[in-house]
Amino acid sequence: MTGDAYFPLSFNQRNIWNLEQTYPGTSMNHISTTIHIDGRIDLNLLEKSIHMVLRSDASLRTRLRMLEGGPVQYQTAYDEEPFLIYDFSRTNRDGIVNWQEAVAREAMPLYDRPLYRFYIFKTGDSSGGVMMKLHHLISKGWSRYIIT
């Protein structure tokens, strides 16, 4: 954690958190986007670019913690961990779509964990992409366009 600074949730974050409490274990507050890249793709460079975004944008490193007074937010230093690269080169389009839908529906743990997920994938020798899933507590719908 960068310092021991905790901050209250904003009004909008509080509303999102209240929805999480009303409908726990759901993905209703997740914003998911998949970027497909056809043509020459270097998955290692794609991974490095995601790390650069996460390192440079502190808002993506916001986490929640439950204290006696309720939920608070804090930011962490970026701890670079490798992303798994999923190989769908032997899977048809329906299989990829089913995977994306299943990943999008998975609930994220809320407390003391990253509120983002990035899934790098390849669909062939010269195609692939990345699926990103951001919790609405740290992003808005337009955030996915900025990150992209």
Side-chain angles (χ1 to χ4, degrees):
M1 187 165 68
T2 52
D4 288 336
Y6 296 109
F7 302 95
L9 301 184
S10 70
F11 179 79
N12 289 336
Q13 285 175 313
R14 180 63 83 162
N15 286 336
I16 294 164
W17 184 81
N18 286 337
L19 277 174
E20 284 288 338
Q21 302 312 298
T22 304
Y23 301 100
T26 69
S27 60
M28 70 181 305
N29 288 310
H30 299 170
I31 300 167
S32 297
T33 294
T34 301
I35 302 159
H36 293 274
I37 302 168
D38 290 321
R40 189 166 177 245
I41 181 171
D42 184 328
L43 298 177
N44 292 320
L45 285 177
L46 179 57
E47 180 179 18
K48 286 181 183 181
S49 67
I50 295 168
H51 286 301
M52 289 173 63
V53 168
L54 293 170
R55 192 176 301 110
S56 66
D57 189 343
S59 66
L60 293 173
R61 297 190 316 270
T62 299
R63 297 191 182 177
L64 292 185
R65 178 167 286 170
M66 187 60 86
L67 297 179
E68 288 179 26
V72 293
Q73 59 184 316
Y74 64 96
Q75 292 180 340
T76 63
Y78 184 57
D79 183 20
E80 187 172 307
E81 295 182 22
F83 294 105
L84 293 176
I85 297 177
Y86 297 86
D87 186 351
F88 295 113
S89 57
R90 296 176 184 244
T91 304
N92 64 23
R93 178 156 167 61
D94 289 340
I96 296 168
V97 169
N98 288 338
W99 170 77
Q100 291 169 334
E101 290 174 355
V103 167
R105 284 191 304 269
E106 291 174 353
M108 283 189 216
L110 278 181
Y111 303 108
D112 298 309
R113 303 280 307 271
L115 295 171
Y116 62 80
R117 301 284 186 278
F118 288 88
Y119 305 89
I120 299 172
F121 60 90
K122 67 184 256 181
T123 54
D125 291 334
S126 61
S127 61
V130 62
M131 178 179 176
M132 70 176 129
K133 184 162 90 169
L134 308 169
H135 200 287
H136 195 37
L137 284 163
I138 63 166
S139 66
K140 302 289 182 210
W142 57 267
S143 300
R144 62 187 172 181
Y145 297 110
I146 293 171
I147 293 169
T148 300

